[in-house]
Amino acid sequence: MVEHLEDEEEDEDDDEEEEQVVSRLDIFEGANGREARVFLPDEDGDDDVVVFDPDYDGDSDDEEFGAAAIEQSPQGDAIAVAELEELDYDDDEEDGDDAEVIVFHPDYDEEEEEDLFEDNAEHYEGKEEEGEAKEKGVPAVMRCFDTAKIYAKAGDGGNGVVAFRREKYVPFGGPSGGDGGRGGNVYVEVDGEMNSLLPFRKSVHFRAGRGAHGQGRQQAGAKGEDVVVKVPPGTVVRSSAGDVELLELMKSGQRALLLPGGRGGRGNAAFKSGTNKAPKIAEKGEKGPEMWLDLELKLVADVGIVGAPNAGKSTLLSAITAAKPTIANYPFTTLLPNLGVVSLDFDATMVVADLPGLLEGAHRGYGLGHEFLRHSERCSVLIHVVDGSGEQPEYEFEAVRLELELFSPSLVDKPYIVVYNKMDLPEASERWNKFQEKLQAEGIEPCCISAMNRQGTQDVVHAAYKVLQKERQRMKDDEEWNGPENLNHVADAIKRERRAPMNEFEIFHDKGTNTWNVVGAGIERFVQMTNWQYSESLKRFQHALEACGVNKTLIKRGVKEGDTVVVGEMEMVWTDEPNKASSSKTMNSKDDSVRWPEFG
Ligand SMILES: Nc1nc2c(ncn2[C@@H]2O[C@H](COP(=O)(O)OP(=O)(O)OP(=O)(O)O)[C@@H](O)[C@H]2O)c(=O)[nH]1
Ligand SMILES: [Mg+2]
């Protein structure tokens, strides 16, 4: 979602989108794949249920469907917001309870509709090929909401101008051309109200305004309008080129300056010197940087349930939240993490994820594999579930800890609680004392539960919440201690590059075409900002080539008469004219819009 500062129109558009706030949302793996259950706030206190079913009637003609996902308030509480653009009311509820079931479709373009369901069908019918298993493991619907590609460009600086004062009785007034205004910046800001990357399917391009050109009487041009790209909490920003992670935006209100606007070009008033009292030269504005960005919304869970396959992780999740994950008596039932929200109190909630049976599953390329582990690194607290009915529960516990250590050191360092499950089975209750003693000896106090019978599960919830609160406080203290995180490092790097000195360049020679490419951020920026409309610009450029050592290096490397020399958008033909410090005789630009000076 974008907000142009001082731009009311956009806001009005936003208002048209219907937004419905829901009180709770659980995402889980149901019989038909990924489903979400949404609880709508209700006057009579009963929670209505919205089922989000990715497999929902593929040939339906209904175009619009809204997305739902989890987000967190500044306090870290989970809130769910759904954009429900069209709702189908299903009256055929058979289970007899009063809950109203509403099925809604995520919002997608009609053209993409087919792919979406094709992908989905393929996934659920298990037709995917081995090699693609990982990518296909994510239901198509989730993939679409989870990622987005956008283009961002900071505003170009305005051009400086050449002007002279004309006053009565002053025949030759001084130079008075003002500087161009700075281009607008591109910011990325976390909007706690957002819950998906869906808005980026409609708006892909984010361009900040260009700075206004300078004017006479030394008036500087106005600054270009900033643009703010609003993203939901949990968004990771990568540059598409090179796939470099730039930002991880977790908290509502966080704001990063991503692309700083180009500097305004200087007007001729700025070029006045002792030797040149009436300069007929001004700079063009600096180009604003541009970038394609990949956005990814990561799952944000406070608590992750880990444990050996079949230990009862999904059963525990379903016992403490409204999530309805698939539960079955075979290992690796869960291939994608399920999310559920635990509400302890009005303002005390935590998001819990049941994580797929560890590592062997990831190994086999099931589900999200290591991709998923990356997601789970978000959790602040782990609940380690041990199957008490196993042969050697203590051994199982140690083995999973070891696996965590081997495959995800960042997970193993998190605070955790140990839960001994399946206490309803005699083999489990027999072994409990031994297990408890063994762990107590290591300074760990395990709880015992029967997830299936929901015995002891509330104690687990409270224990996990206590650890979570401690973690949240610790993170807050850390932040105060280290000061707020600097999120402007991308912009800082761009600014640093802008200050690159002109004499730091490299020259590449292409023998085939006799072309010499001069590459260097400083010199290229100089060329970009040179306004060739003014004849003095050429002289200044020639002087710069000489002063920063480009000419000298070219001669040393053996440049010959007639060779082409390229600096940024500038192409020149080299001449060996003696006594002429310059290299250029004819000039061409790759960019036809630039007007070239006439040479006499
Ligand atoms: N008797 C008993 N069975 C349980 C209990 N908790 C879970 N189970 C059973 O254990 C089996 C595995 O449960 P899941 O919750 O699917 O286990 P999981 O850890 O999510 O398994 P994966 O997703 O495959 O890693 C199922 O058959 C459950 O019914 C319990 O407290 N008592
Ligand atoms: Mg499971």
Side-chain angles (χ1 to χ4, degrees):
M1 216 171 273
V2 61
E3 180 189 274
H4 287 281
L5 297 182
E6 304 152 315
D7 188 347
E8 297 300 326
E9 266 176 49
E10 287 286 328
D11 291 339
E12 277 164 31
D13 284 346
D14 286 348
D15 291 345
E16 284 170 22
E17 277 174 34
E18 193 186 329
E19 244 194 20
Q20 194 161 347
V21 179
V22 302
S23 64
R24 236 168 86 187
L25 175 140
D26 293 309
I27 298 176
F28 57 90
E29 238 174 71
N32 300 321
R34 178 143 299 221
E35 295 179 11
R37 193 171 297 267
V38 178
F39 295 84
L40 301 170
D42 199 347
E43 266 92 26
D44 59 26
D46 286 331
D47 284 329
D48 288 347
V49 179
V50 181
V51 177
F52 161 40
D53 177 2
D55 260 354
Y56 177 80
D57 193 7
D59 47 38
S60 156
D61 287 324
D62 304 337
E63 318 88 346
E64 297 294 333
F65 72 127
I70 291 250
E71 63 183 28
Q72 287 186 299
S73 75
Q75 294 76 38
D77 300 331
I79 311 164
V81 176
E83 282 176 19
L84 309 179
E85 275 154 57
E86 187 166 324
L87 303 172
D88 280 347
Y89 289 83
D90 180 355
D91 293 325
D92 304 334
E93 256 285 85
E94 275 167 15
D95 55 15
D97 76 42
D98 291 340
E100 207 172 355
V101 174
I102 307 165
V103 178
F104 69 99
H105 324 250
D107 178 14
Y108 56 88
D109 297 340
E110 262 168 291
E111 304 160 22
E112 289 173 35
E113 184 175 352
E114 268 174 31
D115 297 358
L116 200 69
F117 285 107
E118 260 167 31
D119 274 13
N120 240 353
E122 233 173 74
H123 170 65
Y124 293 113
E125 284 164 44
K127 273 197 237 149
E128 69 265 29
E129 293 187 4
E130 275 297 303
E132 292 171 26
K134 199 180 131 221
E135 170 74 2
K136 296 274 172 144
V138 190
V141 172
M142 288 305 290
R143 281 212 302 272
C144 297
F145 298 160
D146 233 359
T147 60
K149 199 182 189 79
I150 62 165
Y151 169 85
K153 183 181 183 316
D156 297 338
N159 296 342
V161 290
V162 172
F164 292 94
R165 270 198 305 278
R166 274 174 212 279
E167 286 169 38
K168 252 185 183 174
Y169 315 117
V170 186
F172 299 106
S176 69
D179 300 344
R182 189 172 67 70
N185 297 326
V186 176
Y187 295 93
V188 183
E189 189 180 285
V190 182
D191 180 350
E193 302 287 304
M194 281 176 74
N195 56 70
S196 80
L197 298 173
L198 212 60
F200 297 109
R201 312 186 80 205
K202 285 187 188 133
S203 43
V204 172
H205 296 96
F206 297 89
R207 291 189 175 87
R210 116 155 265 178
H213 300 323
Q215 290 170 20
R217 298 168 201 267
Q218 300 209 27
Q219 283 181 62
K223 189 178 150 305
E225 211 172 87
D226 293 336
V227 71
V228 180
V229 182
K230 297 210 166 182
V231 298
T235 301
V236 176
V237 183
R238 279 195 201 80
S239 72
S240 302
D243 194 26
V244 185
E245 183 165 323
L246 303 175
L247 291 169
E248 200 179 78
L249 298 161
M250 301 312 296
K251 282 175 252 148
S252 185
Q254 275 182 321
R255 183 187 245 235
L257 169 60
L258 189 71
L259 302 177
R263 182 166 72 74
R266 282 173 294 176
N268 71 334
F271 286 92
K272 190 177 159 188
S273 70
T275 50
N276 193 351
K277 294 225 165 54
K280 290 190 209 63
I281 184 170
E283 281 172 325
K284 287 204 290 189
E286 181 181 28
K287 279 223 163 70
E290 59 188 333
M291 224 182 235
W292 276 94
L293 300 165
D294 289 321
L295 308 182
E296 186 191 339
L297 185 58
K298 289 198 180 182
L299 299 179
V300 185
D302 302 308
V303 179
I305 306 179
V306 297
N310 219 30
K313 302 179 291 295
S314 303
T315 310
L316 177 60
L317 181 76
S318 68
I320 59 178
T321 71
K324 295 275 172 285
T326 312
I327 294 165
N329 192 14
Y330 55 82
F332 305 113
T333 308
T334 305
L335 299 181
L336 290 167
N338 301 295
L339 278 185
V341 184
V342 182
S343 326
L344 293 97
D345 203 349
F346 178 66
D347 57 353
T349 57
M350 59 183 178
V351 182
V352 183
D354 105 346
L355 306 178
L358 261 169
L359 309 168
E360 285 131 290
H363 254 346
R364 292 195 210 166
Y366 278 132
L368 293 165
H370 66 270
E371 190 68 10
F372 132 76
L373 275 178
R374 210 157 47 86
H375 282 275
S376 61
E377 279 165 12
R378 272 301 125 62
C379 306
S380 317
V381 177
L382 298 181
I383 297 177
H384 188 146
V385 180
V386 178
D387 182 350
S389 70
E391 292 282 303
Q392 284 176 297
E394 307 87 49
Y395 174 75
E396 179 196 308
F397 171 71
E398 295 297 342
V400 171
R401 293 290 305 165
L402 186 70
E403 275 188 289
L404 275 181
E405 202 168 324
L406 290 177
F407 289 93
S408 182
S410 69
L411 273 184
V412 84
D413 286 337
K414 295 186 192 294
Y416 63 97
I417 56 174
V418 180
V419 173
Y420 185 90
N421 189 29
K422 309 198 186 178
M423 268 301 264
D424 55 290
L425 297 173
E427 51 274 41
S429 59
E430 277 163 24
R431 295 182 192 128
W432 161 244
N433 282 338
K434 195 169 154 228
F435 182 82
Q436 188 184 26
E437 277 166 26
K438 172 101 196 306
L439 265 73
Q440 279 173 341
E442 293 173 32
I444 305 165
E445 191 59 65
C447 341
C448 62
I449 63 163
S450 164
M452 201 175 67
N453 299 340
R454 307 197 171 194
Q455 270 164 5
T457 49
Q458 277 316 302
D459 297 340
V460 173
V461 166
H462 287 110
Y465 189 69
K466 223 163 102 185
V467 182
L468 177 64
Q469 270 181 314
K470 233 198 243 164
E471 265 309 280
R472 282 179 180 161
Q473 188 57 44
R474 195 187 58 77
M475 269 146 49
K476 224 168 106 193
D477 292 348
D478 266 10
E479 208 165 275
E480 274 163 27
W481 185 251
N482 298 325
E485 216 182 331
N486 175 22
L487 295 171
N488 298 345
H489 56 271
V490 181
D492 291 345
I494 292 171
K495 286 179 186 166
R496 255 198 313 281
E497 189 175 300
R498 281 178 183 171
R499 289 195 296 267
M502 300 248 293
N503 59 5
E504 280 175 14
F505 57 84
E506 279 186 87
I507 296 181
F508 300 96
H509 183 206
D510 179 359
K511 282 195 184 121
T513 55
N514 284 328
T515 305
W516 302 80
N517 281 298
V518 184
V519 179
I523 186 105
E524 284 176 42
R525 176 169 177 268
F526 183 91
V527 168
Q528 188 263 303
M529 291 186 73
T530 299
N531 196 335
W532 305 103
Q533 273 176 320
Y534 306 116
S535 57
E536 283 181 30
S537 291
L538 182 64
K539 220 165 72 194
R540 182 162 167 259
F541 179 53
Q542 288 165 345
H543 183 75
L545 287 179
E546 194 61 39
C548 71
V550 170
N551 285 350
K552 214 154 91 200
T553 313
L554 280 170
I555 290 166
K556 215 162 83 194
R557 298 268 305 266
V559 69
K560 290 188 304 295
E561 174 107 24
D563 283 358
T564 309
V565 177
V566 180
V567 189
E569 63 185 20
M570 185 62 148
E571 268 186 33
M572 303 161 280
V573 177
W574 180 270
T575 58
D576 286 331
E577 263 178 64
N579 305 328
K580 200 167 174 205
S582 146
S583 58
S584 40
K585 196 168 194 181
T586 48
M587 295 188 166
N588 294 304
S589 165
K590 291 175 199 159
D591 176 1
D592 290 338
S593 65
V594 179
R595 286 209 269 137
W596 299 102
E598 287 167 11
F599 306 110

